[in-house]
Amino acid sequence: MKNLKDILYTVAITKVFGTTNVAVKNLVFDSRKIENEDIFIAQKGVSVDGHLYINKAIDLGATVIVCEDFPETQKDEITYVQVVDANTALAVMASNFYDNPSSKIPLIGVTGTNGKTTIAALLYQLFKKAGYKVGLLSTVKVLVDDVEFKATHTTPDSITINGYLDKMIDAGVDFCFMEVSSHGIHQKRTEGLVFTGGIFTNLSHDHLDYHQTFAAYRNVKKEFFDGLPKSAFALTNIDDKNGNFMLQNTQAKKKTYALKTLADFKVKILEKQLSGTLISVDGTEVWTKLIGVFNIYNLTAIIATAELLGLEKLETLTIISELESVSGRFEYVISEDGITAIIDYAHTPDALKNVLETINDIRTGNEKVITVVGCGGDRDQTKRPKMAHIASQLSSQAIFTSDNPRTENPQTILDEMEVGVASENYRKTLTVLDRRQAIKTACKLSEVGDIILIAGKGHEDYQEINGIRAHFDDLEEVKNCFNQLKN
């Protein structure tokens, strides 16, 4: 049990009905999960207004209601707390509820359009190999040192974040690396957290279904850096045109990394192969298993962060060569016939372009590049024709197929993609609605030495159609195809 007065510390409160000197059990924002003596926080969500469920929460046992608008009538036995912003209040309350765990552990946030998962996951690997206990909050999974939990969102809700951080404190974790999404920032899920550092990767076309404009999307990312304390560092990719913009108003120590521009941390690419990349770091040559220029940007951010957190450079560079690629990020398998299949999460135009340019840069020139790609339903529609244009332009053959259609008609999504195909590339495109059949088609069209890129879903082990998630794994599917070709 916790005292409500302590939980409300520093929350922007407008009005209170009842007493704040009351013991409560849990914070809850989903009225269906309310139990006796819980606090219900009524949030105005994108599709649901929690204020409509205040009476239901009380019926289920809530004794405290936190809301932006008081209900017309109040019950004498219930405490009502009116706040300026329920999302921010929830985040601050969650931090207080768990005794502010982020202030007790170095917490590093990674934000940007692409690279968040790779940087956070590889920093986890690096610090584990250096002998530390490490935490990870990522799109793929949550790790409390060696204990794994399934991830549900890139940036979880505030209660979940602080709950995991509290577990990390109990487990003696030394560092935590966390993906910070634009949705998470905008919905105030990271409010109340004390970050030791923030990393900016890059910014390109994504989530405009939610943010409406690129400027709004960019400004939300900047809010994360604006909120960093003076004691933190703000590390930004200065080769990205938005890199300096992120640092404009931050109080944190400003640090930069780059491959092209003069920066605090810089890496040079010496050699590229399908098996890895040879790089130079301050004159020291290092071999990494990571592939592609975009991944070397990620690696540069990792090297910089390690140094900013106190790791010895020689130790960092030694471990760099041991780091394994992240699940669903340029993950590849080679058939017995010498056909290479690459699975990548690339689901934005920029990410798809980066992966295809990497493949075209590495290949000898005789192999075909066959790309299987789709676009998610109920998401940014404006990127669909761009994705199709890039896939058809940079591939020998592009096969458009379903990604996660969700509640949309899959054929409509494909029709909107095809609009982006230039007339000279029509002959290089196919449309296969069923993703499994699309992957099989790619395998049948491929020959010895060819490269198949299966883009969009990466690590995901499901496909969501009409609100139902059924098991589907791109890597499994292509391995099955390779086995069938062998037989």
Side-chain angles (χ1 to χ4, degrees), residues 190-211:
T190 55
E191 290 289 320
L193 297 179
V194 180
F195 285 92
T196 300
I199 303 168
F200 170 72
T201 62
N202 50 64
L203 207 64
S204 63
H205 190 120
D206 201 16
H207 301 308
L208 298 194
D209 56 312
Y210 181 87
H211 297 289

Side-chain angles (χ1 to χ4, degrees), residues 432-474:
V432 181
L433 193 62
D434 182 270
R435 192 173 182 90
R436 182 172 287 111
Q437 289 301 320
I439 293 172
K440 285 181 179 178
T441 301
C443 291
K444 288 177 181 176
L445 291 174
S446 60
E447 299 171 335
V448 176
D450 287 349
I451 300 170
I452 301 170
L453 170 64
I454 306 172
K457 289 174 56 59
H459 65 282
E460 293 178 351
D461 60 359
Y462 64 86
Q463 187 175 31
E464 185 175 338
I465 303 173
N466 289 326
I468 299 170
R469 289 189 174 187
H471 179 76
F472 193 98
D473 186 303
D474 284 349

Side-chain angles (χ1 to χ4, degrees), residues 300-326:
T300 309
I302 290 161
I303 292 168
T305 302
E307 185 169 325
L308 290 168
L309 291 175
L311 256 63
E312 290 292 330
K313 183 173 287 186
L314 183 59
E315 182 180 21
T316 298
L317 297 184
T318 302
I319 296 172
I320 285 294
S321 61
E322 302 171 10
L323 298 181
E324 300 287 345
S325 61
V326 180

Side-chain angles (χ1 to χ4, degrees), residues 7 12 32 107 120 176 195 225 238 319 336 339 373 409-410 423 443:
I7 296 171
R32 296 167 297 182
L107 175 63
C176 176
F195 285 92
F225 294 94
I238 206 169
I319 296 172
E336 287 188 8
I339 301 165
V373 65
N409 183 329
S423 57
C443 291

Side-chain angles (χ1 to χ4, degrees), residues 2-234:
K2 301 269 185 176
N3 190 284
L4 176 61
K5 188 180 293 185
D6 296 330
I7 296 171
L8 290 173
Y9 179 67
T10 73
V11 172
I13 297 171
T14 306
K15 187 166 56 176
V16 175
F17 177 89
T19 179
T20 59
N21 189 25
V22 60
V24 292
K25 284 184 179 176
N26 289 303
L27 304 179
V28 182
F29 59 86
D30 183 342
S31 62
R32 296 167 297 182
K33 298 179 180 179
I34 287 287
E35 295 181 359
N36 287 332
E37 299 179 296
D38 283 348
I39 302 175
F40 175 61
I41 300 92
Q43 297 173 286
K44 293 180 179 179
V46 176
S47 56
V48 177
D49 186 350
H51 289 74
L52 299 174
Y53 300 94
I54 288 175
N55 288 334
K56 178 186 175 183
I58 293 171
D59 290 342
L60 289 171
T63 52
V64 177
I65 301 296
V66 175
C67 53
E68 293 178 20
D69 303 314
F70 270 7
E72 289 183 8
T73 58
Q74 292 87 47
K75 298 184 178 182
D76 291 337
E77 69 276 15
I78 303 298
T79 297
Y80 297 84
V81 181
Q82 187 180 38
V83 296
V84 174
D85 180 80
N87 290 341
T88 303
L90 174 62
V92 174
M93 290 168 69
S95 189
N96 290 336
F97 185 84
Y98 286 102
D99 298 321
N100 301 290
S102 63
S103 66
K104 303 171 187 176
I105 181 175
L107 175 63
I108 312 301
V110 189
T111 196
T113 304
N114 302 310
K116 296 187 297 295
T117 301
T118 296
I119 290 174
L122 291 183
L123 279 167
Y124 171 87
Q125 275 191 46
L126 174 63
F127 278 75
K128 281 289 287 181
K129 289 178 181 292
Y132 293 96
K133 290 190 172 185
V134 193
L136 174 69
L137 291 164
S138 82
T139 302
V140 179
K141 57 188 169 184
V142 173
L143 288 163
V144 178
D145 200 27
D146 293 321
V147 181
E148 183 175 330
F149 301 87
K150 190 171 180 64
T152 55
H153 295 80
T154 300
T155 305
D157 65 79
S158 306
I159 299 170
T160 302
I161 292 171
N162 282 279
Y164 281 130
L165 289 173
D166 187 55
K167 290 180 188 291
M168 290 177 195
I169 299 299
D170 290 343
V173 164
D174 300 298
F175 298 93
C176 176
F177 302 102
M178 173 183 174
E179 288 187 55
V180 179
S181 68
S182 59
H183 289 68
I185 299 166
H186 187 255
Q187 294 171 12
K188 310 299 181 184
R189 296 180 218 158
T190 55
E191 290 289 320
L193 297 179
V194 180
F195 285 92
T196 300
I199 303 168
F200 170 72
T201 62
N202 50 64
L203 207 64
S204 63
H205 190 120
D206 201 16
H207 301 308
L208 298 194
D209 56 312
Y210 181 87
H211 297 289
Q212 302 302 314
T213 67
F214 184 83
Y217 174 49
R218 178 198 62 192
N219 292 343
V220 165
K221 294 287 189 186
K222 182 177 176 292
E223 283 179 23
F224 171 66
F225 294 94
D226 291 350
L228 291 175
K230 287 182 180 179
S231 57
F233 65 81

